[in-house]
Each structure stands twice: as structure tokens, then as C-alpha cells.
Amino acid sequence: MSAYDAFTTVLARKEGHVLTVSLNRPAQRNAINGEVHAGLREILALAAEDADVRAIVLRGEGKAFCAGGDVGTMVGAEEGGATSPALGVLSTLDATRMIDMLLAVRQPIVCALQGFAMGLGATIALLCDVVVMAEDAVIADTHVNIGLVAGDGGAVLWPLLESFAAAKWHLMTGERVNGLDAVRLGLALKAVPAAELDDEAQRLAARLAQIAPLAVQGTKATLNRVIRDRIHLLLETGLLLEGATMVSEDHHEAATAFLGKRPAVFTGR
């Protein structure tokens, strides 16, 4: 039994020089909770010590790549239903750890994005080195739609990949971008029919795995300095403002409305 076989909410299998990592909460559209975060961290730590792994494919089981942070954990259990301030702070810290974790992976990561990637799910996808999407898949940073400032990875990554004007619109509205438009805007490298997505991601990963690994890894580390510099510029302010909206009435209303499957009514408080 391989060490990669010991996980449940995140699955991993190695074939040749390619490690395929799958988020595995399909009933929850692969929303990120503590178990997924821990499993992904441990698998990537194993990969870091595995010289046989030269490329990684990151995908989601079921109909979606990743729905983002688990909204079910965002509604506080305090009397009166107020959102917990501590939970808000922990949520922003988790997003920061996820960014650091994915940037630290030395092997190139190919994201195979099916269905949708929302909020933190979009950030995870865009932190990958290559994004290939199903033509009918959608990606969006939906922080504002649940009453939160898009202050974490979205504020860093979207303006780096598409025009600043387009990034402002997408981050301030949470508007969804399909696979074909994502390629046009620079958010993804390729868009393919959904039935071809996994094969295309594996093909791209296999091509990366055939190139001199030290050269590929060093090139990735060099280019990721651009992202790290942007993080130093933006993240502290963004997370401070996002943390403030975590404890707002509008965020609690958005999370409650989402779970109740009704439109949210915002008051600006």
C-alpha cells in the first residue's frame, strides 16, 4: 500500500511521474473544510519528498472542481445566530495557509476544472501553474455574494491574469466566467469538451514531466516570485477588510440565505 492511499477526503494516485490529486467531497461539491485542507497539505508534503513525482494534476470528484469554503461552517452557533468573530479570523487564516501551501509545491500543478470553481475554489485553481477547463465549466470569485470582501487570493491572482478593469468587475460582482471566456481573458490556458478534460490534463502533466525537472521547478519558483510580491503588496489589507466583513450582519444574512435557499437581503451593516 502506497502512502498516498491513506487519505479519504482527498485522494491521490501516482502513475509514472504524474501524481493525480482529487478533492473528494462530491456531495458537498468538494467544498473546503478542515479535513480537506489537512489531507491536501499532507499529500503535497509527501509529493515534495518524492523525487519520482515531476508533475501534479489537481481535480475534483463529481460534478464540481471546488465550491470554495464550506458555507455550512460559516454560520455561528451562538444564541441569536451571530457569526463568530473567531471563526471569521480562522477562515481568513485558512485561506492564507492554502495560498502558501500551493505556492510552496515545487512540481508544476495542472488544474483540471470541471463544473465550477467558486471563491476559495477559484483561488486554488488559479494558484495552479496550468489551468485547463471544460468549455461549460465556470469560475468565479463569489466572496461579495456572501457579503465578504474579496481580500485573499482573488485580489492577488485575478488582476495578474486578466486586465485590471476585468478583474475589478469580476471581483466586485462575483460574475461567473465560462471555460471559453476564461481562455480569452487569460484565466485558463485551454478549454476542452468536458468529456476530454481529464485526458487533456493528464497529457499536459505528462508533457511537463518529460522536461528536465530542475529546470521546470526553478522556472516555476522564479515566476511565483511575482505572486509572492503581489501578496506582500495586497494581502494584509485585503485580509483585514475581509475579516471585518466576516463579522458583519450582511455576511451572516448571506450565509443563512444560502443554506435556506432564498435571496439575501443586505442592509450594509
Side-chain angles (χ1 to χ4, degrees):
M1 176 177 172
S2 165
Y4 295 114
D5 296 331
F7 302 90
T8 54
T9 55
V10 183
L11 305 177
R13 74 174 191 276
K14 185 169 71 172
E15 296 181 5
H17 293 303
V18 176
L19 179 70
T20 300
V21 179
S22 302
L23 306 177
N24 188 37
R25 297 182 75 211
Q28 294 78 29
R29 301 296 192 262
N30 298 317
I32 303 296
N33 63 3
E35 288 182 67
V36 173
H37 193 173
L40 188 57
R41 181 179 65 247
E42 292 176 35
I43 286 171
L44 294 178
L46 285 172
E49 301 300 320
D50 190 345
D52 204 37
V53 174
R54 296 185 180 181
I56 297 169
V57 172
L58 182 60
R59 60 183 299 280
E61 291 291 324
K63 296 181 178 180
F65 173 70
C66 179
D70 194 335
V71 178
T73 68
M74 295 182 186
V75 181
E78 298 175 1
E79 185 176 353
T83 305
S84 164
L87 185 58
V89 172
L90 288 173
S91 295
T92 57
L93 288 176
D94 280 346
T96 305
R97 294 187 189 106
M98 185 70 74
I99 292 170
D100 289 340
M101 178 174 68
L102 289 167
L103 285 177
V105 178
R106 58 192 177 93
Q107 297 95 336
I109 304 177
V110 176
C111 174
L113 199 165
Q114 87 283 13
F116 54 81
M118 301 293 173
L120 179 56
T123 295
I124 292 170
L126 296 180
L127 279 166
C128 294
D129 305 293
V130 179
V131 178
V132 57
M133 291 180 63
E135 292 172 345
D136 60 354
V138 292
I139 186 169
D141 190 307
T142 50
H143 278 75
V144 294
N145 303 128
I146 54 170
L148 298 179
V149 168
D152 51 31
V156 172
L157 294 164
W158 287 69
L160 282 173
L161 297 169
E162 61 179 2
S163 75
F164 196 71
K168 276 189 172 182
W169 175 258
H170 289 133
L171 293 174
M172 290 192 299
T173 64
E175 184 173 286
R176 300 182 178 200
V177 179
N178 67 31
L180 293 172
D181 284 338
V183 173
R184 177 178 58 83
L185 290 165
L187 297 169
L189 177 69
K190 299 188 72 173
V192 298
E196 300 175 14
L197 179 65
D198 282 329
D199 286 345
E200 182 62 17
Q202 291 292 330
R203 187 188 71 80
L204 294 173
R207 181 177 176 187
L208 286 165
Q210 291 170 355
I211 304 170
L214 295 180
V216 172
Q217 293 167 19
T219 300
K220 169 178 174 169
T222 301
L223 292 171
N224 274 354
R225 285 303 303 251
V226 177
I227 300 175
R228 292 186 184 280
D229 286 348
R230 190 61 66 93
I231 285 172
H232 291 320
L233 178 66
L234 296 176
L235 204 60
E236 183 177 351
T237 298
L239 289 179
L240 178 65
L241 294 172
E242 184 178 346
T245 50
M246 275 279 183
V247 297
S248 68
E249 292 181 16
D250 276 351
H251 172 56
H252 178 71
E253 163 63 11
T256 304
F258 177 87
L259 294 175
K261 298 182 179 179
R262 61 172 177 80
V265 178
F266 296 120
T267 61
R269 294 196 295 271

